[in-house]
Amino acid sequence: MDIQEKIEKLRKEIELNSYLYYVEDNPKLEDYEYDKLFRELEALEKEHPELITPDSPTQRVGGISEKFEAVPHKNRLYSLENSNDENELKKWYERVLKDLNPGASGQMSLFGTQSMDNTAGDIKIPLACEYKIDGLAVALTYKEGKFVQGLTRGDGIIGEDITNNLKTIKSIPLKLFEPVDVEVRGEIYMPVSSFEKLNKKQEELGQKTFANPRNAAAGSIRQLDPKITSERDLSIWVYGGIFEGKDAPKSHSLTMKKLKELGFKTNKITVVDGVEGAIKCIQKIDEERKGLDFATDGVVIKVDDIHSQNELGFTSRVPKWATAYKFPPEALWTTLKRIDFQVGRTGVITPVAILEPINLAGSVVSRASLYNFDEIKRLEIMPRDRVLVKKAAEIIPKVLKAEKTDDSKPFKMPENCPSCGAKLIEKENEVGLWCPNKDCPDVLKGKIEYFVSKYAMDIEGFGESLIAQLIDRNMVKTWADLYALSLLDFMQLDLIKEKSATNLINALELSKNCKLNKFINALGIRLVGKESADILTQYFKTIDEIKAASLEDLSSIDGIGEKMAKNIYEFFKDEDNLKAIEKGLSLGIKPENIYTISDNLKLKGKSFVITGTLNEFSRDKAQEILKSLGAKTPSSVSRNTDYVIAGENPGSKLEKAKSLGVPVLSEEEFKNLIEQ
Ligand code: IVH
């Protein structure tokens, strides 16, 4: 046997045993036997590097990337509509029946010419029921049986290329059992047991812990260094695949069968008859789910027949042929010990319910959010009341109801800030009470905590207690000051030795090459969160462009409301904010716009406004096509608009376009443009 043959034989053996271990959960080799094969292969490949192939099992952990490329999805990733109870599920089913059976004159897909007055119970079409996995959606592309690309969901139209990180997940096959072309959809998750272990380890290392398995999986998959991902125990459940050609499976359940045969890790799927069958199946799953080692938040019910699925189609956001039945969140009664107050990063005072601790949905709950003073009025809640508290998978516990006891005490509004003692004020056009002190320590802490958080600058190691020390010792007055801290500065802090101080400096350094949308989110502009920051970066290439935008420019952006536009405008006029940004940039922060990375998008950065009715496209569809080509589609015309597409009966937008000299395209011209 020559070396090449020997290497191939080893690879086959390793792949098979890895499949048995990670996918089938049924290992045939002892760990040491498997390790021996692996080391043998590694040694041979080291001697003959020219024989290494990207799909070799030794190649799962690749090099560090600088960023995740934005890549358009070949097929859009849709979301799911929720059914919150049996009634909503039955309504969904009725709509399915109605759409598949549009009366005697319509085309029938499944059951001949039934009349319209059939109720949901009468006609039974096959429905596939499966776990709704609470993880992160990914799309995996296989060409001739080889894993070539894996993308995050992103906004469903454009995702991020995380191929190298996905390759580290052993239950994702690098090579299928047949050389087919297929795009597979699945959910990346972290087993609950691994999540608990990881949190324990993070706590011991003084690093931030994750709120739930889903966040832990998300934090692990979005690491630029695949080595870190490979150290976290991630897995996949595949829940769909797109096969093309005449041999494509005819039902969802057959698709799943085929995916399993190809080597994918698929979960249990039950095909039932009609909605009554689905309800029975949901009850069974609800009983089983408590003992599972993965988080589920419901059951997905899908019309099994692919032809019917195609006939039902999609809304702009979700398939009409599927629904997610959500399990009702757990709720329990306890005693409200008292109501405390907190001051957040915006200065607004929020009341918090301090509870007699209870065990809810797997964790101990001793606090619950009361949001604002209106909520206190609405609930008519008083200290020492009995309160009903609920906790859904990732939501902060919430008080649903309050009942009086003999012990209940009247509620008193606070007068001073719980952090700095300043006299609280009311603000014009805003609800609630506010701390007016710009230097209030808790406001600063909240701002910095937000700045370093995952969806903002995502800086590792900056936990609450570290930030509190930096502020209490006056070492940091704004987020930009973080970047001026030295190793010695950090080493002055309690519990920080040279190694952790170096890690903190490195984490800050790493965060300098950030994404513009995350940086804008991190600035903490009032009302501007992750999504609006994203919209702004689709619009403006750089921070300077946002700074220079007029109030009119900002409020003409689809998705940026008037109040938000005003906040953004005022934020960039404030001297202190401008100084912080200038300082941050001069200390090396380099925000990069992800929406300008993909150069292959031909309408990149162009802005189109549609007015009137198009014949061949719904407005949603036309906007979706434009976005998939990199364009923006605001709802109103401004000087920044590149084209207006005018259909039949155009509105005032056409006049505005003419008055501003914006070029106008007919539907025909629009079609030519996208077909080019
Ligand atoms: S089907 C077009 N099946 O839930 C069909 N999704 O809330 C859409 N999910 O983005 C997806 N388990 O990431 C499907 N068994 C399952 C699922 C599942 C979890 C996720 C998926 C989707 C999200 C929608």
Side-chain angles (χ1 to χ4, degrees), residues 78-80 82 130-134 136-137 153 186-187 239 300 302 314 319 321-322 324:
Y78 285 87
S79 183
L80 282 170
N82 291 337
E130 54 199 36
Y131 287 116
K132 181 167 192 300
I133 315 294
D134 194 14
L136 294 127
R153 179 178 190 280
E187 201 83 352
Y239 59 70
V300 184
K302 302 173 181 172
F314 298 84
W321 45 265

Side-chain angles (χ1 to χ4, degrees), residues 29-262:
L29 286 186
E30 292 291 337
D31 285 359
Y32 78 90
E33 292 172 306
Y34 178 86
D35 289 345
K36 199 168 146 231
L37 291 176
F38 201 89
R39 278 200 305 273
E40 216 174 306
L41 176 62
E42 269 181 334
L44 283 176
E45 287 183 345
K46 200 166 170 201
E47 269 172 47
H48 302 276
E50 73 285 0
L51 297 179
I52 299 179
T53 55
D55 59 353
S56 168
T58 58
Q59 302 304 301
R60 283 196 178 260
V61 184
I64 303 179
S65 334
E66 278 186 18
K67 58 177 182 249
F68 300 117
E69 292 287 336
V71 178
H73 285 292
K74 278 176 232 59
N75 299 289
R76 178 167 174 175
L77 266 73
Y78 285 87
S79 183
L80 282 170
E81 189 174 270
N82 291 337
S83 297
N84 290 311
D85 53 40
E86 282 182 15
N87 254 340
E88 287 185 18
L89 182 65
K90 284 182 180 160
K91 281 200 187 121
W92 165 79
Y93 187 67
E94 270 170 32
R95 277 198 307 275
V96 165
L97 291 186
K98 205 166 147 199
D99 284 356
L100 287 178
N101 182 10
S105 60
Q107 274 287 306
M108 273 310 306
S109 71
L110 268 179
F111 23 76
T113 43
Q114 305 280 355
S115 69
M116 282 283 281
D117 59 9
N118 275 304
T119 56
D122 288 332
I123 306 170
K124 293 189 167 70
I125 61 167
L127 299 175
C129 304
E130 54 199 36
Y131 287 116
K132 181 167 192 300
I133 315 294
D134 194 14
L136 294 127
V138 288
L140 314 175
T141 306
Y142 287 79
K143 288 257 176 316
E144 294 176 5
K146 291 196 178 140
F147 177 45
V148 290
Q149 190 175 58
L151 304 180
T152 61
R153 179 178 190 280
D155 60 3
I157 297 169
I158 297 180
E160 282 181 307
D161 188 333
I162 52 162
T163 313
N164 283 342
N165 288 355
L166 291 170
K167 277 172 100 174
T168 69
I169 301 177
K170 311 269 197 356
S171 47
I172 296 183
L174 299 182
K175 213 162 138 192
L176 304 180
F177 294 135
E178 289 171 40
V180 292
D181 287 356
V182 62
E183 190 190 324
V184 171
R185 303 284 168 78
E187 201 83 352
I188 301 293
Y189 72 96
M190 184 177 282
V192 180
S193 53
S194 311
F195 157 72
E196 281 162 2
K197 268 188 232 149
L198 174 65
N199 259 359
K200 220 163 157 193
K201 195 173 119 202
Q202 295 285 102
E203 216 171 288
E204 280 163 13
L205 293 174
Q207 292 184 354
K208 75 179 162 199
T209 53
F210 298 98
N212 53 44
R214 183 177 193 279
N215 285 2
S220 307
I221 202 80
R222 296 194 82 275
Q223 294 281 344
L224 290 167
D225 182 358
K227 193 161 174 297
I228 301 180
T229 312
S230 76
E231 285 161 3
R232 305 269 170 91
D233 185 25
L234 296 176
S235 190
I236 190 167
W237 286 119
V238 163
Y239 59 70
I242 302 167
F243 290 91
E244 269 153 29
K246 60 176 176 17
D247 295 334
K250 300 277 182 285
S251 69
H252 174 64
S253 45
L254 286 173
T255 302
M256 296 310 291
K257 185 162 170 269
K258 182 77 202 167
L259 290 171
K260 184 161 171 39
E261 285 163 9
L262 289 172

